[in-house]
Amino acid sequence: MQGMKNPFLVGEKIYLRPLERDGAPTLLPWVNDPDVIANLIMYTPKNLQSELEFIERAYKSDTEIILGIALKADDKLIGTTGLHRIDWKNRNCLFGILIGDKTEWGKGYGAETTHLMVSYAFETLGMHRVWLHVYEYNHRGIRAYEKAGFVREGVLRQARYHNGEFYDVIVMGLLRSEWEARRHTTL
Ligand SMILES: CC(C)(COP(=O)(O)OP(=O)(O)OC[C@H]1O[C@@H](n2cnc3c(N)ncnc32)[C@H](O)[C@@H]1OP(=O)(O)O)[C@@H](O)C(=O)NCCC(=O)NCCS
């Protein structure tokens, strides 16, 4: 195992680190990959400049915390994750995750990242609720969020248009009390 590069939150198999500008070329193919963006709100073409701007912008905002997801074993950057729309008054925020390296899907990294980020939201930022939207066909995502403790709160009917069809958007949330009740359980 090599030394971790600037770790911010450390898990078992992955760690989360601030994104650097030299990570932009790694991010770029992920955000133009149809299999990845099928699950994201974002859909427009991206170039190196847009990725550099995303990285720059992320570290200027006080309503957003963005980190890269790296493997502890070889230090490889496999995705990004964030707490967005941090609402300091109502103490809630939106959780987002993108594992862009498809060869790394389904290995538990999504659930582990989710667990690290929600723990940080509750423990360090003092959040009361973390929420997210996920498309009904994103079974892998829904399962990863459920493993980290999220529950289904509701449905936005046919709010997603994708490849010629409308799909439901599932609203999921995790309350501080629910997280406290299960924080020491394994994923
Ligand atoms: C969604 C995402 C974050 C999940 O991360 P991941 O590391 O692939 O997921 P995990 O391995 O932690 O968990 C996936 C779970 O779903 C299960 N799963 C995988 N494919 C599935 C399918 N087709 N149907 C049902 N469950 C499935 C896995 O078996 C695993 O559950 P288990 O541990 O109980 O067996 C990741 O795949 C990703 O970034 N995808 C592209 C972008 C995206 O969807 N972002 C989220 C937008 S809301």
Side-chain angles (χ1 to χ4, degrees):
M1 192 179 297
Q2 303 168 11
M4 291 182 279
K5 273 196 209 166
N6 195 19
F8 184 73
L9 296 174
V10 180
E12 215 174 291
K13 293 192 220 129
I14 52 118
Y15 70 98
L16 307 181
R17 68 181 190 217
L19 291 167
E20 298 293 348
R21 292 170 63 87
D22 67 5
T26 309
L27 269 53
L28 187 56
W30 303 341
V31 289
N32 289 316
D33 180 337
D35 296 335
V36 174
I37 55 184
N39 299 304
L40 307 180
I41 199 162
M42 174 175 87
Y43 63 93
T44 54
K46 303 292 179 204
N47 66 6
L48 194 55
Q49 185 58 27
S50 39
E51 291 319 285
L52 286 167
E53 282 168 14
F54 163 74
I55 293 169
E56 296 271 296
R57 218 176 39 239
Y59 295 92
K60 288 185 183 139
S61 171
D62 55 7
T63 56
E64 195 159 54
I65 301 239
I66 291 180
L67 292 162
I69 308 169
L71 296 182
K72 279 169 98 174
D74 59 6
D75 216 32
K76 182 170 75 162
L77 190 63
I78 62 162
T80 60
T81 183
L83 299 173
H84 312 273
R85 300 200 214 168
I86 300 174
D87 177 340
W88 296 106
K89 190 223 166 247
N90 295 306
R91 289 163 60 188
N92 63 57
C93 60
L94 164 64
F95 171 71
I97 179 168
L98 183 174
I99 297 177
D101 184 335
K102 293 189 275 187
T103 63
E104 305 296 355
W105 285 1
K107 296 184 182 173
Y109 303 146
E112 196 182 332
T113 299
T114 308
H115 176 74
L116 280 176
M117 290 295 271
V118 298
S119 297
Y120 178 73
F122 291 124
E123 266 173 17
T124 306
L125 302 185
M127 291 287 119
H128 180 74
R129 173 176 181 260
V130 183
W131 61 277
L132 61 87
H133 284 180
V134 57
Y135 305 137
E136 60 171 319
Y137 50 80
N138 190 354
H139 304 290
R140 187 181 283 112
I142 293 167
R143 179 79 193 112
Y145 303 141
E146 284 174 343
K147 277 164 68 183
F150 279 86
V151 298
R152 290 171 195 241
E153 294 184 334
V155 172
L156 306 175
R157 295 173 307 151
Q158 299 187 24
R160 168 69 173 175
Y161 184 69
H162 177 63
N163 286 350
E165 303 241 19
F166 286 96
Y167 295 90
D168 290 347
V169 174
I170 299 170
V171 181
M172 300 185 85
L174 176 57
L175 300 179
R176 168 182 281 276
S177 54
E178 294 163 341
W179 170 78
E180 277 172 356
R182 67 185 301 285
R183 67 200 279 191
H184 298 302
T185 57
T186 46
L187 291 174

